[in-house]
Amino acid sequence: MSTTVNNDTPLEVTLDNETVDTIAILDAVVELPSRASRARLTWTQDEPGEWIANYGAHFGGTVEKHDDRYVASDTFGLVVGEFDSLEDAQANLSDRLHTMLPPVIRPVE
């Protein structure tokens, strides 16, 4: 079976009850693989008030100090949040990296 899709036209699919039930059963029995250990995360500070995350040998983002707050930004430059402490900002960014960068997850050294 092949279907041609025109990107300008919304695609609507109608499924019968048996197909929906089958999808639900298949989804229910899928076992998710266990999460790998977190990649090695290191921090460097090239300039005062700026910390750079190195996550599994990849750029992971930054934490920058602005006044009395710490702003964490991820690999793509998107702001993760503002935090009261450097430790909170780094921990939050670390958790986000572990979730969003699965291809670089390596066992902790």
Side-chain angles (χ1 to χ4, degrees):
M1 175 180 167
S2 66
T3 304
T4 304
V5 177
N6 182 343
N7 290 334
D8 297 333
T9 305
L11 181 64
E12 184 175 314
V13 177
T14 303
L15 301 174
D16 59 83
N17 288 340
E18 184 179 346
T19 303
V20 172
D21 289 343
T22 302
I23 292 170
I25 290 167
L26 291 173
D27 192 38
V29 296
V30 171
E31 290 185 32
L32 297 176
S34 61
R35 289 300 304 253
S37 299
R38 290 177 184 247
R40 180 178 169 85
L41 177 66
T42 57
W43 293 93
T44 57
Q45 186 177 16
D46 292 337
E47 297 180 22
E50 181 180 28
W51 294 264
I52 300 170
N54 182 355
Y55 187 79
H58 299 275
F59 172 73
T62 61
V63 173
E64 297 180 34
K65 186 173 183 181
H66 294 280
D67 299 322
D68 60 345
R69 306 282 292 165
Y70 294 86
V71 178
S73 300
D74 67 17
T75 307
F76 306 105
L78 300 173
V79 173
V80 173
E82 291 187 25
F83 304 90
D84 293 328
S85 71
L86 174 60
E87 293 77 17
D88 287 345
Q90 289 176 330
N92 192 289
L93 181 57
S94 175
D95 289 344
R96 182 178 180 101
L97 293 174
H98 183 63
T99 301
M100 67 185 274
L101 298 178
V104 299
I105 294 174
R106 303 284 183 264
V108 177
E109 296 176 8

